[in-house]
Amino acid sequence: MSSNQKAAWAQTLSQNQQTVGSPGDHGGLGNLKPETVIETLQQVSNSDSVTGMTVRIVELAGNSNDEIRMWAAEALERAIQPSADEISSLIKVLEENEEGEVRYWAATMLGRLGGAAAQAGQALSDCLDKSLHLPARERSAWALCQIGEAAAVAKDSLSKAAEDAPPRLKRLATEALKRIGEAA
Amino acid sequence: MGWLLGRRSRSKRSRSSRKNDRSFSTSIPLLRWLGPSFTFSGIVGLLFMVVTGRIDLSVFDQWMGNGENPIGELIADSGQPQRSRIEPVALQMDNRSRETIRIATFNIQFFGPSKVSNPQIMQSIARIVSQFDVVAIQEIRNGQVSPIGELVSLLRASGASYSSSVSESIGEGDRYKEAYAFVYDQSRIAMIPGSAYVVQDPDELMSREPMVASFETRTGSPDGRPPFRFTLINVHTSPSEVAENAIINEMNVLDDVFTSVRNYEYGMTGEEDFILLGDLNVDTAGLRELGQIPSVFSIAGDAMTNTRRTKTYDHILIDRNMTTEFTGRYGILDLQNTFGISEEEALKISDHFPVWAEFTIYEAPRLTPQVPPIATRNQTRDQASGTRY
């Protein structure tokens, strides 16, 4: 991927976009045509590694258009590599965007950064506690596990989930507690 | 760790199968037209579908036409299982061997309304599927229109006699669910009635539980030689759950799925041949415990299976001691070369290539005791989590 290509994608996807995390906006398109966004997301998802576009694509994962949402998820799953300078924006999305899938992907991206995303511990803990979207809660527990010792702030939330949650979440929370405990 | 995999949700599946069969047969009056009872409603149905664009008559030209082999030359042929080297061999679309069948896996990326509404893509998918006797399909997005129903309809419109079994939609959350399917040529393969089910997973160890179904060849053999009977386990793992940092790596779950299904089916029916196939999202090094089941191996190994030819995602795994019906021939169907199209156009069909393997139509005589091997692998320590399974 050339830097020109990346810049073109970023420009396409961010054209007249709404403010990050603004109420009621789940990856709003502004005046962008959906097909343009889909085509760009397809190109991104077919690339090996794309950096610097994480937050915008996380937002698009909450778009009301099924196809945009699916291709955003594909891009996040296959191609997007979050970077440390995106952490505070991802935390903001996690805290302010109530859309379950947006939170799911924000947590996933923070988890991919591992210990570098230590400052996300509280936001992930809150998502684990309060989100109504089970996959988002599961990914928060997974992300806390990836962060490890520095996620000690989430111990109470994790303990609660480890005691009383659906099987997968319970297992993830238990494993996160182990990692935090082992590292401490 | 608790395990209840391998139990059938048979009643649910059979209801679902009946529902699929019913909805398919009643929504395609064209079938009547093709049958011996040439009825008025069949003609009306055909005209309606032509007028509304559901059938593109030009497809008949391609199917009936010039006898060219549309699949081209990039099919691997190897007498040496486990080798990743791909040798070209041509497949004959209208000249399948009577002595062998081809089983394939094909992840049709986002196979939903968008692709169904594109005749060119649907025709390409139909041409691909028609190369094989059974295809395990992943990433089906069921909506108001059934993509598999449309695909089978298109195949049947060509004069082929394919049928299908489709799972319910499976997966995390409400929006990312997808279904599995088996599409098979009824003239050469029979699905064992009531054999299709989705593996139950009460401990939620997998994000998408595999779909299982059993088949046997139609040999028409006058000498009574038994047909090749086999069970397919159709899998699509989640990339996140097979990554290095997965808490519970799904590859360390699939070995238990394989052995549970094998033990269950063997106990119930005496079935001996199990083929696990699908988009596993890993190369052979990433197979972990699945790759450690004694004598189980990936037929295509580390051949590149994504359309960009940069990654190994898709596999067909068999037990080399049990499934001796495997002829040693297998391949990766290169969409670009098959259709003479660009990578960008191939990606519109899918980001995966189909992977196939060839088997004899007759059950091979057993040289080993008639008991399937029990996995006796040592417990291994998961690299990422340190958890024993």
Side-chain angles (χ1 to χ4, degrees), chain A residues 156-175:
Chain A
D156 286 349
S157 303
L158 288 166
S159 299
K160 206 159 50 176
E163 281 175 19
D164 182 23
R168 178 184 286 261
L169 177 54
K170 191 183 266 192
R171 198 165 49 245
L172 291 166
T174 303
E175 193 59 37

Side-chain angles (χ1 to χ4, degrees), chain A residues 8-176:
Chain A
W9 288 338
Q11 189 176 7
T12 301
L13 295 179
S14 64
Q15 190 181 355
N16 287 344
Q17 69 177 85
Q18 307 290 321
T19 309
V20 172
S22 63
D25 170 37
H26 304 311
L29 299 185
N31 61 359
L32 282 174
K33 288 182 179 172
E35 51 269 34
T36 307
V37 175
I38 290 165
E39 193 177 334
T40 306
L41 289 171
Q42 286 171 338
Q43 290 168 4
V44 172
S45 65
N46 286 324
S47 303
D48 281 334
S49 175
V50 179
T51 56
M53 302 171 63
T54 311
V55 176
R56 180 58 179 151
I57 297 183
V58 165
E59 289 179 312
L60 288 170
N63 193 271
S64 56
N65 181 310
D66 277 354
E67 205 151 352
I68 289 177
R69 202 172 56 248
M70 285 194 303
W71 281 108
E74 186 82 347
L76 290 161
E77 189 76 84
R78 299 271 184 207
I80 294 293
Q81 296 299 325
S83 53
D85 58 5
E86 294 174 308
I87 290 173
S88 38
S89 298
L90 286 168
I91 291 172
K92 192 173 178 192
V93 170
L94 190 64
E95 287 174 337
E96 297 182 4
N97 198 313
E98 292 182 357
E99 173 68 24
E101 286 158 62
V102 173
R103 284 181 161 178
Y104 174 97
W105 285 109
T108 300
M109 294 300 115
L110 289 165
R112 276 188 198 167
L113 290 162
Q119 66 196 90
Q122 187 59 55
L124 289 165
S125 175
D126 289 345
C127 183
L128 172 61
D129 263 344
K130 296 170 188 167
S131 175
L132 301 176
H133 187 68
L134 179 59
R137 296 179 68 206
E138 289 172 351
R139 290 315 273 181
S140 295
W142 172 83
L144 289 163
C145 190
Q146 304 303 320
I147 291 171
E149 181 184 12
V153 66
K155 265 188 169 177
D156 286 349
S157 303
L158 288 166
S159 299
K160 206 159 50 176
E163 281 175 19
D164 182 23
R168 178 184 286 261
L169 177 54
K170 191 183 266 192
R171 198 165 49 245
L172 291 166
T174 303
E175 193 59 37

Side-chain angles (χ1 to χ4, degrees), chain B residues 51-88:
Chain B
V51 168
T52 56
R54 291 178 71 188
I55 292 180
D56 178 2
L57 291 179
S58 64
V59 70
F60 288 101
D61 296 333
Q62 295 177 29
W63 285 76
M64 305 299 290
N66 51 20
E68 287 177 4
N69 170 19
I71 286 305
E73 299 175 345
L74 268 198
I75 304 299
D77 179 11
S78 169
Q80 302 296 320
Q82 280 192 303
R83 282 202 314 190
S84 58
R85 183 163 166 267
I86 307 296
E87 298 288 342

